[in-house]
Amino acid sequence: MKLGFSPEEELFRAECADWLQGQMAGEFKDIKGITTLTAKAERRKEWEQQLAAHKWSCIGWPSQWGGRDATLAQQVIFAEEYARAGVPGRVNHIGIELAGPTILTFGTEQQKARFLPGIAAGQTIFCQGFSEPGAGSDLASVRTKGRLEDGEWVVNGQKIWTSLAHISDWIFVVTRTEEGSKGPKGLSFLMMDVKQPGIEIRGIKQINGDAEFNETFFTDARCPADSLIGAVGDGWKIAMGLLAFERGVSTLGQQMAFRNELDAIIAAAKANGQASNPLIRQRIAKAEIGLRLMRYGALRMLSNTDHSKIDGAALTYKIQWATWRRSLGELAMDVLGQAGEVAEGSEYEWGMLPNLFLFSRSDTIYGGTNQIQRNLIAERGLGMPREPRGDL
Amino acid sequence: MDFRFSDDQLNLAEGVRDYLSGTHGPEVLRRLDEHGNRDPAIWQGLVQMGLTGLCVPEAQGGLGMGLPEAALIAAECGRACLAEPLVDTAFVGVPWLVAQGQLGGLEDVVAGSRRIAVAHAINPWEADGDGAALTSVDPLRNLSVRVERSRDTSAPGVSTTLDANGEGDDLLLNLGALMSAAQLVGLADAMLDQAVEYAKIRTQFGQPVGAFQALKHQLANCSVAIEFAKPVVWRAASALEHGLESAPVHVSHAKVAATDAAMLTAETAIQVHGAMGYTYEVDLHFWMKRSWALCGAWGDRAFHLKRVDDAVLGGALPIGPQHTFA
């Protein structure tokens, strides 16, 4: 057993912290502390490019494609320092954490050369075309259709919950390319240029007033035949591989952001006297314990020698952090009391904690609801029989 | 002991429910959210039903009813997510004035020309008052800074603020907490109905998602929480109406139970709606945000738990052998 990080890793931490804090105190001071995904999008695209210019944009990627071949521990350290420095979320996180690794794993050399440099440089922003109005938890029931016509894929249908589509350049789309197929069979994975006449984007306003995601309509949208990742009919396999990335490294560094949120709650409780309320004290203690559970769980996952795959413990991570953070939002409101009801500025200009409360309602929904997570844990983790599928 | 409401009481509540469901649907909430938050026509409709005068003595032209009836109607206001200040005016302000023997000007409340905004030390601000406006999480809540003012409760006007003028008038606090609790159970009922309806029509994996135990068990939990909260609210209304010494504890118990039921239902209903529940487009958030606002108003969960706690541990409540706990 090895607890904590090595001296080399601590040096790396200091290097990350220095650079990130320097940026947030200097040229990019204006974006420090932003908690929504959409605010100041143009400046944050510039931030993506600044990260790239200093080789911090995708440190886990191979150096050949702009990365640093960073170890998993280094990636976690970078993510932690990123959050500690108050840097806002990555507007290209889908490109860096999902599209890039998917292309690296399943793409051809030509596809790597075509997409990876732009993603690494912060020039190509990606969004994800998975969910549809009729395919949410039941993701395999996608109906968006793709057909080959004169050397091009022609796509028709609708995607929804497409985060940041309105500022994206490219979208990866799971489409049904085999006529009459059902479920996970007959799907293919396509890369498409968002900025074309056949793709229409409409924003969806959220309960916190932000509009991070969109409806995306495809009407004879087109892409070249070689935009297909993997083979025709491999779409489900690739989508599932991609979701494993989503459950992997990208969530492990979250705990520092969570630490910031819990610290803000503790500071608020001290300021308004709730810190002496025994009921609140107990819940703060429970939140602290929950955070430490995640912390040590992540370190355990990191300690696995085979870093290429995330094991069964990772199955439980999503529900654990999502439920913990949702409770954290509730605790924040109980600490603030009525002060949490009032926005600091104009409508929907929430402070960090009320926004946490509203946003965290989505944590137990996106990326697989808690109910789907329990099914996965029971069916894949515990080997229980699958819930019967109907045929509506 | 008889815990039932009379047929007359139930008919009254049902009449209000039918009226509001016919005239105050989600499309009205959206219209108000876009324009002005309040609508004189809606207020006039409530006046014509006699609701502003529900607790005004008959000698002043009211219906002379008590807090149990008012709580029943407050629950209907919650169910409809009513934004007009009926509850504060008619079910908090009026009963307080009547208890103080301040009957002047109540005719104007009955006629609808006078509304009462209620200020109290426990609330850092007031709803539908005339201080500087604040932005509430509830888009239809007109919050303003609490203004210290003299106790002028006799002059008629469009809006009169009732100020207990002291720090912590207990009756006013209990009335406010009770009526918040009553609204919360109505809000919770409405959110549960919306979630159940959605679970019936949304299909995934080839069947309505409501067929899955993962969902139906959660909705069942909400139903249990709501149905157990209701009697506690009615009990508190009755205790306060009869001026029982234990009334404050009953009120606190009701506020905690209603808060827990409403928040559990709000949170579960969003989850059941999936990503749609996280959008502005689905009506649910109006109810959820009202619930959130009312959970904090008139003493939050921790405040009321502490009142229960103090009563239980401090010996104020007669509990133990030879005592009932009604």
Side-chain angles (χ1 to χ4, degrees):
Chain A
M1 183 176 284
K2 170 177 147 288
L3 298 173
F5 293 95
S6 70
E8 295 77 21
E9 286 163 348
E10 291 300 344
L11 273 179
F12 178 76
R13 182 185 294 281
E15 184 191 350
C16 297
D18 274 357
W19 188 78
L20 289 164
Q21 287 171 16
Q23 294 295 315
M24 287 301 113
E27 195 182 336
F28 286 90
K29 198 158 68 178
D30 58 317
I31 61 169
K32 184 178 177 181
I34 292 176
T35 52
T36 70
L37 254 183
T38 56
K40 295 197 179 171
E42 286 311 309
R43 276 293 280 158
R44 288 160 76 178
K45 284 185 180 179
E46 290 167 26
W47 169 243
E48 291 291 332
Q49 290 157 20
Q50 177 80 340
L51 283 165
H54 293 81
K55 287 196 70 170
W56 289 115
S57 77
C58 49
I59 62 171
W61 290 19
S63 50
Q64 179 192 358
W65 300 113
R68 295 188 181 216
D69 295 305
T71 63
L72 212 45
Q74 286 175 325
Q75 293 177 60
V76 170
I77 288 169
F78 179 75
E80 286 179 349
E81 293 310 317
Y82 191 93
R84 196 202 305 275
V87 192
R90 302 280 300 269
V91 293
N92 201 21
H93 74 102
I94 291 171
I96 300 290
E97 288 158 7
L98 303 180
T102 301
I103 295 164
L104 278 165
T105 308
F106 300 104
T108 62
E109 288 309 308
Q110 288 91 325
Q111 287 170 334
K112 291 179 194 173
R114 182 170 164 209
F115 289 108
L116 296 179
I119 299 174
Q123 302 284 357
T124 312
I125 309 289
F126 257 92
C127 60
Q128 169 174 314
F130 276 16
S131 298
E132 294 182 5
S137 292
D138 187 6
L139 185 59
S141 66
V142 297
R143 282 193 225 157
T144 295
K145 283 186 180 157
R147 63 173 197 275
L148 256 185
E149 195 179 281
D150 303 328
E152 280 189 321
W153 288 102
V154 180
V155 175
N156 283 283
Q158 185 197 343
K159 296 291 176 182
I160 194 168
W161 319 122
T162 329
S163 289
L164 299 180
H166 54 295
I167 61 162
S168 292
D169 305 295
W170 284 80
I171 182 169
F172 47 84
V173 190
V174 174
T175 55
R176 193 161 292 287
T177 48
E178 188 189 316
E179 187 79 36
S181 64
K182 271 194 168 178
K185 296 195 181 88
L187 300 174
S188 297
F189 195 98
L190 296 173
M191 301 292 214
M192 304 190 78
D193 187 343
V194 174
K195 293 171 177 160
Q196 59 167 301
I199 295 185
E200 189 198 339
I201 310 262
R202 287 185 211 156
I204 302 173
K205 187 174 172 186
Q206 301 157 211
I207 63 172
N208 66 349
D210 199 10
E212 166 189 335
F213 42 49
N214 302 274
E215 297 176 282
T216 308
F217 298 89
F218 299 79
T219 310
D220 286 339
R222 286 165 190 274
C223 62
D226 65 359
S227 306
L228 178 77
I229 304 288
V232 173
D234 273 355
W236 185 251
K237 182 182 90 181
I238 292 167
M240 289 302 103
L242 180 143
L243 289 179
F245 297 132
E246 192 170 18
R247 285 196 292 266
V249 183
S250 60
T251 54
L252 294 182
Q254 284 172 330
Q255 292 136 21
M256 189 56 66
F258 295 165
R259 175 83 259 169
N260 289 346
E261 290 166 351
L262 179 53
D263 285 349
I265 290 170
I266 292 172
K270 284 183 174 166
N272 72 3
Q274 285 283 21
S276 57
N277 176 342
L279 295 162
I280 294 291
R281 295 171 75 92
Q282 245 183 38
R283 288 170 62 195
I284 288 175
K286 279 173 83 173
E288 179 75 36
I289 292 166
L291 183 60
R292 287 181 182 272
L293 288 180
M294 283 186 276
R295 173 74 172 169
Y296 301 131
L299 288 175
R300 183 182 68 167
M301 270 190 274
L302 280 172
S303 309
N304 285 345
T305 46
D306 182 4
H307 289 173
S308 66
K309 59 171 186 263
I310 301 288
D311 68 4
L315 271 179
T316 61
Y317 190 71
K318 166 79 207 302
I319 193 169
Q320 172 75 18
W321 76 255
T323 309
W324 177 87
R325 189 160 181 253
R326 191 174 65 177
S327 307
L328 193 71
E330 293 161 11
L331 174 60
M333 298 324 300
D334 288 340
V335 165
L336 292 179
Q338 270 193 297
E341 190 198 330
V342 171
E344 287 172 353
S346 59
E347 195 175 7
Y348 290 116
E349 270 181 38
W350 299 113
M352 175 193 196
L353 295 180
N355 189 60
L356 164 68
F357 172 72
L358 289 170
F359 186 90
S360 66
R361 305 316 306 179
S362 74
D363 283 331
T364 53
I365 296 169
Y366 73 79
T369 61
N370 273 11
Q371 288 66 42
I372 289 296
Q373 299 301 332
R374 288 194 183 94
N375 278 357
L376 287 174
I377 293 165
E379 294 174 7
R380 295 199 194 156
L382 305 177
M384 293 173 69
R386 284 158 62 107
E387 202 155 19
R389 264 66 171 165
D391 52 8
L392 280 180
Chain B
M1 181 175 283
D2 187 349
F3 230 81
R4 290 171 300 179
F5 285 104
S6 70
D7 286 345
D8 284 350
Q9 290 170 319
L10 293 175
N11 287 339
L12 173 71
E14 202 177 304
V16 174
R17 180 188 304 191
D18 289 347
Y19 173 74
L20 289 174
S21 71
T23 58
H24 197 274
E27 67 290 346
V28 173
L29 298 179
R30 288 185 181 277
R31 171 169 64 76
L32 293 174
D33 186 20
E34 279 170 31
H35 306 287
N37 281 11
R38 298 288 179 271
D39 180 349
I42 296 174
W43 182 253
Q44 211 44 49
L46 301 170
V47 170
Q48 276 161 16
M49 288 200 81
L51 297 178
T52 50
L54 190 82
C55 298
V56 172
E58 290 176 60
Q60 276 72 39
L63 297 174
M65 292 192 184
L67 296 177
E69 289 86 356
L72 268 179
I73 306 301
E76 296 308 327
C77 296
R79 187 190 309 279
C81 206
L82 180 73
E84 299 293 325
L86 177 68
V87 174
D88 277 5
T89 294
F91 308 151
V92 180
V94 167
W96 188 81
L97 287 171
V98 171
Q100 313 302 312
Q102 298 179 20
L103 304 176
L106 291 183
E107 291 86 352
D108 300 316
V109 174
V110 176
S113 60
R114 180 179 174 208
R115 302 174 200 198
I116 304 173
V118 189
H120 188 278
I122 198 159
N123 295 323
W125 35 75
E126 63 197 44
D128 290 278
D130 48 12
L134 297 164
T135 305
S136 166
V137 65
D138 176 350
L140 298 182
R141 199 158 141 87
N142 289 348
L143 270 196
S144 60
V145 174
R146 188 154 56 90
V147 185
E148 300 302 332
R149 56 172 73 74
S150 62
R151 194 193 296 186
D152 173 15
T153 50
S154 56
V158 172
S159 173
T160 300
T161 294
L162 178 71
D163 193 334
N165 208 21
E167 300 301 308
D169 180 284
D170 270 351
L171 176 61
L172 195 56
L173 168 65
N174 288 326
L175 286 166
L178 168 66
M179 294 304 163
S180 300
Q183 290 176 82
L184 284 167
V185 293
L187 284 155
D189 261 345
M191 292 187 287
L192 181 58
D193 286 349
Q194 289 170 50
V196 167
E197 279 315 300
Y198 188 76
K200 286 181 190 164
I201 57 166
R202 168 68 175 171
T203 61
Q204 286 284 270
F205 304 107
Q207 56 189 311
V209 293
F212 297 111
Q213 290 191 345
L215 251 73
K216 59 168 74 114
H217 288 188
Q218 295 192 51
L219 293 171
N221 290 343
C222 296
S223 177
V224 170
I226 298 168
E227 293 311 316
F228 276 89
K230 282 178 186 169
V232 181
V233 175
W234 312 144
R235 179 71 185 89
S238 167
L240 201 55
E241 172 75 15
H242 294 102
L244 300 190
E245 209 176 312
S246 58
V249 185
H250 287 297
V251 168
S252 286
H253 193 174
K255 183 80 194 313
V256 171
T259 294
D260 287 351
M263 286 315 284
L264 174 70
T265 308
E267 290 156 9
T268 304
I270 290 192
Q271 189 72 16
V272 165
H273 279 77
M276 289 306 297
Y278 186 60
T279 66
Y280 206 84
E281 188 181 318
V282 166
D283 302 321
L284 179 68
H285 70 99
F286 286 107
W287 278 261
M288 176 213 160
K289 289 166 175 170
R290 175 72 48 79
S291 300
W292 178 9
L294 290 180
C295 285
W298 295 104
D300 61 10
R301 190 177 185 281
F303 172 87
H304 287 287
L305 263 181
K306 185 163 185 318
R307 283 217 308 183
V308 174
D309 193 329
D310 286 348
V312 171
L313 300 173
L317 269 191
I319 50 176
Q322 280 133 52
H323 293 291
T324 69
F325 48 92

